[in-house]
Amino acid sequence: MNQEGWGFKDFIIILGIIMGAVIITFIIYQITFKPEKVAEPIETVKKTYSSYEDMEYELKRSAERYQNDKYSGRDDDDETWILSSKLLIEEGYLKNKLLDINDSSAECEGYVRFIKKGAYISYIPYLKCGSNYMTEGYESYYIE
């Protein structure tokens, strides 16, 4: 029997095994617990519309998609929500900025009134493009 105890060679072998286990544990941890990717801001695209009605329709459609994803009310509830174009752009439901068809450097403001009475749901878009166009019934206090 060897009475000398642990030698340098034995120390290096054990240290190598421990370091190998630490490296393997680190790799498994990185693969298993990957941090979630941070959502990058959605870049809006400049799109020209042929009419203000097209812009209102696009605003209405984006509000419908937003409500389908986010709304979870009951059938017998009566509710009214205001969804601004700014919110719809930030949430990624409105992909294109609403640019005035008469002045492409000016951005239009808008909102959609989501009205629910029982099972009946309606979406009414409102749009204001500077002094060139304003939907009848548009109220500026709904825009943030």
Side-chain angles (χ1 to χ4, degrees):
M1 238 190 197
N2 184 357
Q3 298 292 326
E4 295 178 22
W6 294 78
F8 184 70
K9 181 176 146 185
D10 297 329
F11 175 73
I12 294 296
I13 291 172
I14 292 172
L15 188 62
I17 292 171
I18 292 172
M19 289 303 293
V22 168
I23 290 171
I24 290 171
T25 302
F26 180 74
I27 290 170
I28 291 172
Y29 177 80
Q30 288 294 333
I31 292 171
T32 306
F33 299 106
K34 262 187 180 174
E36 292 186 28
K37 292 183 180 180
V38 177
E40 296 180 19
I42 297 172
E43 186 176 320
T44 55
V45 179
K46 287 187 177 183
K47 176 183 174 185
T48 55
Y49 294 94
S50 58
S51 69
Y52 292 114
E53 289 77 19
D54 288 346
M55 292 170 63
E56 290 173 342
Y57 179 75
E58 186 68 28
L59 189 61
K60 177 183 174 182
R61 295 290 300 154
S62 63
E64 288 173 352
R65 287 190 301 272
Y66 178 87
Q67 287 302 120
N68 286 336
D69 290 346
K70 305 282 184 176
Y71 181 71
S72 61
R74 297 184 351 207
D75 287 340
D76 57 346
D77 290 343
D78 290 347
E79 298 184 54
T80 300
W81 286 22
I82 303 297
L83 303 169
S84 69
S85 58
K86 181 180 176 182
L87 169 79
L88 296 171
I89 288 172
E90 287 172 359
E91 293 287 326
Y93 291 91
L94 185 60
K95 304 264 187 250
N96 305 307
K97 288 185 177 181
L98 301 172
L99 300 176
D100 193 338
I101 60 174
N102 293 322
D103 179 11
S104 62
S105 64
E107 190 173 345
C108 300
E109 296 178 330
Y111 61 92
V112 177
R113 290 185 76 196
F114 165 74
I115 301 170
K116 182 180 175 305
K117 293 188 180 198
Y120 174 75
I121 296 175
S122 67
Y123 298 88
I124 306 168
Y126 295 92
L127 188 66
K128 181 180 182 210
C129 297
S131 60
N132 293 325
Y133 179 80
M134 184 170 70
T135 305
E136 186 177 332
Y138 177 89
E139 299 290 340
S140 60
Y141 55 83
Y142 287 129
I143 299 297
E144 298 173 14

